Amino acid sequence: MAAVKMDFTIRPAAKSDCKDIWRLIRELAIYEKVVDEVVLSYEEFERDGFGKNPLFESLVAEVPEENKSKEGFTVVGVALFYYTYCTWKGRAVYLEDLYVMTEFRGCGIGKGLLSTLAKVAKEKLCTLLELDVLDQNSRSRAFYAAKGAWDVTAMDNWHTLRFDAVSLNKLANEAP
Amino acid sequence: MDFSIRAANVEDCKDVARMNLDLAAYENVPEQCVPHKFCDLDLEQDGFSKNPFFQCLIAEVPQQHKSKDGYTSIGFALYFYSYSAWKGRSIYMEDLYVMPEFRGQGVGKALLSKVAQRGLASGCNMLNFTVLHANQSSVDLYLRRGGLDLTSDVGYHYMAFEEDALQQLART
């Protein structure tokens, strides 16, 4: 499919963007069929991202008023990320969520968000950008691979493991 | 065997760097992937400055139980805080390592539990980490203690842009 030409800008999110980011993240949860797993409230999300000690940062993609979405939104994409660490490579960035509204895909917005994030990572002296992608999301996996990511799970068989809230409690109770 | 778990301080960086190299060798990470420049000084800067990138726990034995090479710091867990826009604050365990001669004595279990405790105390709802699937004994340990294998069960793929790819991405 040929890319559609569209004006857009990528910029760091401000507190005034929080409602839009929340809207986009919920759309992503619907797209990934996990909306039942969203337990965070909007108030918690706003506090965590734009309060005194932010736990994450975001970049937003914005279109001019004349290109707004059919519901009237101009913030049409988001990249939500935070800083992590790799004891083999040093400072790193983890891309937690990358989402572009369906009607704005194919315009280079996803690529723009990813590239801008890479620039941010470089400025902070990070040498690694990490993310997780679902196996069924072959389009996204191909997108990241095309941009130079390597699939550490497929290549080296690293698995992502998780202790959720219940098992985390149990584990903590066993601490000496 | 007596051992204790405590928060690492800046003087522990040499021991953490030492054990980190052992861990890389254990996981068959090629030597060129662990940069020579990455040493105790990098850990000092990144872990013990005003805005640290990570936290670290040390497992320590008394002098009379030191390792055959004379070390009393015999294990570590390195972690940092992450975030899920669906569940909130999380904790990520980057490394968990116990020197071979001290394994099988509950040190790894204790380190894992302490990381979980730190996570809960900070308001985290989950603990995430990656493990080599070939490391069957570790995978089994985690699954027995309530861990979920998101790669096997849900299809998570961990992907990474390393240095050259990251530079290329930043230029586009």
Side-chain angles (χ1 to χ4, degrees), chain A residues 39-40 48 85 87-88 91 96 115 129-131 133 135 150-153 157 159-163 171 174, chain B residues 20 29 35 38 46 83 86 95 127-129 131 133 145 148-151 155 157-161 172:
Chain A
V39 299
L40 207 58
D48 291 344
Y85 203 72
T87 37
W88 300 337
R91 298 175 186 188
E96 174 67 22
S115 297
L129 166 58
E130 309 172 288
L131 55 137
V133 184
D135 186 64
W150 65 295
D151 188 329
V152 186
T153 292
N157 210 11
H159 281 223
T160 298
L161 265 65
R162 172 177 296 165
F163 284 90
L171 207 57
E174 294 165 10
Chain B
N20 182 45
V29 175
F38 193 79
D46 295 338
Y83 196 77
W86 301 336
D95 295 308
L127 161 63
N128 294 319
F129 52 103
V131 64
H133 200 239
R145 299 191 77 194
L148 303 162
D149 186 333
L150 294 179
T151 296
H157 281 242
Y158 165 55
M159 299 185 79
F161 289 89
T172 57

Side-chain angles (χ1 to χ4, degrees), chain A residues 14-110:
Chain A
K15 191 169 177 179
S16 51
D17 296 311
C18 195
K19 281 194 162 58
D20 279 304
I21 297 170
W22 180 249
R23 167 180 57 82
L24 293 167
I25 296 296
R26 286 196 67 95
E27 275 184 34
L28 174 58
I30 292 167
Y31 171 72
E32 292 194 350
K33 301 181 179 43
V34 291
V35 75
D36 292 340
E37 291 186 28
V38 180
V39 299
L40 207 58
S41 70
Y42 174 74
E43 290 69 31
E44 288 168 324
F45 182 73
E46 189 187 58
R47 171 205 65 196
D48 291 344
F50 300 94
K52 194 169 161 220
N53 297 305
L55 303 180
F56 65 86
E57 295 181 28
S58 322
L59 296 168
V60 291
E62 198 165 30
V63 296
E65 198 50 44
E66 60 269 22
N67 292 131
K68 67 187 181 217
S69 76
K70 41 189 196 300
E71 299 105 335
F73 300 119
T74 55
V75 174
V76 303
V78 65
L80 192 150
F81 64 97
Y82 43 83
Y83 295 99
T84 58
Y85 203 72
C86 173
T87 37
W88 300 337
K89 297 194 184 292
R91 298 175 186 188
V93 167
Y94 188 87
L95 174 58
E96 174 67 22
D97 296 301
L98 177 68
Y99 180 74
V100 177
M101 289 172 71
T102 319
E103 67 189 274
F104 292 93
R105 292 193 192 149
C107 308
I109 293 176

